Amino acid sequence: ARAYANDKGLGRIRKQTIARTMKDRKEFIIRKAMELYALKGYQNVSITDLQFALDMGRGTLYYYFHNQDELFLTCMEKYFLEPKQRALNSVPEDAGIERMIAAITDYLHCLEEALMTFDNKTINTSNVNDLMFTAYSKFPSLHRKAQRLALKELELWRKAIYADQRAGLVRRDIDRDQIALMFTHVKNTFDPALGQTQMNFSLLTKTYSELHFLLKKKKK
């Protein structure tokens, strides 16, 4: 009985080890593929390019992902949509502006940290913007998910402004809809046409804080 229990325990450990190895390998594929997509653009990456970058046979690659579209969608979900979804889900219904700023800056820091994990350090937020545009153009389902998240963020900003108005923390004479749009557009101030190749995340945080300061009710 003891031997059977030992064998059973070893079997469970082996299964856990295999599952962990498979998960690690899948994470590795996603990270390297995302790096390649960001560097070259989705249209310019072939299965052969992926095999070479991953040092992996085509059969092994297809074991984890049925085709390149599935791999690309997984990359986009993992790096862009899922972190934003987690950030927005962390915001309580009665949250104010400060809590919303914290949630969005956490999301932006996730993006910053993700870029830092890439081996190729020439990849910047300009590459990422181009990639996102391609993704949303090619995959309508992905675009719809992104739109839903954008609308959810906008509504949370509205609620946060209203919560602070009721608490007497910000002015009541402001247009909630317009100010909510301004908060959502802070991230869009990055413009490659102006020579910016890398988004300044600390500047974004400062911009949120400055906008919040302008809304605050002046003490008498």
Side-chain angles (χ1 to χ4, degrees):
R2 185 178 299 172
Y4 173 76
N6 288 339
D7 288 343
K8 191 174 180 180
L10 287 172
R12 185 168 59 252
I13 292 171
R14 288 193 195 98
K15 286 181 181 178
Q16 290 172 346
T17 302
I18 291 170
R20 187 162 53 248
T21 301
M22 290 177 66
K23 182 180 178 182
D24 290 344
R25 181 172 287 189
K26 189 170 184 177
E27 291 292 327
F28 170 71
I29 293 171
I30 293 169
R31 182 175 64 81
K32 291 299 292 183
M34 183 64 193
E35 182 176 357
L36 202 58
Y37 292 140
L39 185 65
K40 299 179 66 174
Y42 174 69
Q43 303 96 322
N44 302 317
V45 176
S46 67
I47 289 294
T48 303
D49 292 329
L50 288 167
Q51 285 180 249
F52 183 78
L54 294 164
D55 191 21
M56 187 176 291
R58 186 167 298 200
T60 304
L61 183 57
Y62 282 150
Y63 175 80
Y64 289 94
F65 298 95
H66 294 106
N67 50 53
Q68 190 172 174
D69 280 358
E70 182 185 349
L71 174 55
F72 181 66
L73 282 169
T74 303
C75 289
M76 298 305 293
E77 292 263 6
K78 178 178 176 60
Y79 278 88
F80 302 120
L81 300 190
E82 290 177 6
K84 187 172 184 180
Q85 180 76 69
R86 286 195 299 271
L88 297 181
N89 286 346
S90 71
V91 179
E93 281 293 314
D94 59 348
I97 294 173
E98 284 191 3
R99 183 65 186 81
M100 268 301 293
I101 291 175
I104 297 301
T105 52
D106 282 349
Y107 160 63
L108 293 173
H109 284 310
C110 281
L111 175 58
E112 183 180 29
E113 289 170 3
L115 293 178
M116 291 173 64
T117 63
F118 293 151
D119 296 328
N120 192 311
K121 301 306 178 185
T122 64
I123 294 172
N124 53 55
T125 43
S126 179
N127 300 94
V128 170
N129 280 358
D130 290 342
L131 192 60
M132 291 172 73
F133 179 79
T134 300
Y136 298 152
S137 300
K138 181 175 174 58
F139 299 99
S141 61
L142 194 72
H143 190 206
R144 287 192 293 271
K145 287 182 181 179
Q147 284 181 316
R148 286 196 293 270
L149 284 177
L151 290 172
K152 181 174 182 177
E153 180 188 348
L154 185 61
E155 182 58 26
L156 285 172
W157 279 118
R158 286 196 195 100
K159 289 181 177 180
I161 296 164
Y162 181 58
D164 279 1
Q165 283 179 321
R166 291 187 63 185
L169 299 175
V170 300
R171 292 156 42 198
R172 287 184 173 271
D173 61 340
I174 59 176
D175 186 322
R176 277 198 299 274
D177 291 339
Q178 287 301 315
I179 299 299
L181 280 171
M182 290 174 69
F183 272 114
T184 60
H185 287 165
V186 167
K187 299 188 297 298
N188 300 335
T189 55
F190 164 78
D191 187 355
L194 298 177
Q196 299 164 275
T197 57
Q198 189 68 29
M199 187 180 288
N200 188 331
F201 292 90
S202 61
L203 182 60
L204 288 175
T205 303
K206 184 179 178 181
T207 305
Y208 280 121
S209 298
E210 288 292 334
L211 179 55
H212 185 201
F213 175 77
L214 292 173
L215 301 177
K216 288 182 178 179
K217 196 171 181 180
K218 287 188 168 63
K219 294 181 180 178
K220 293 181 181 180

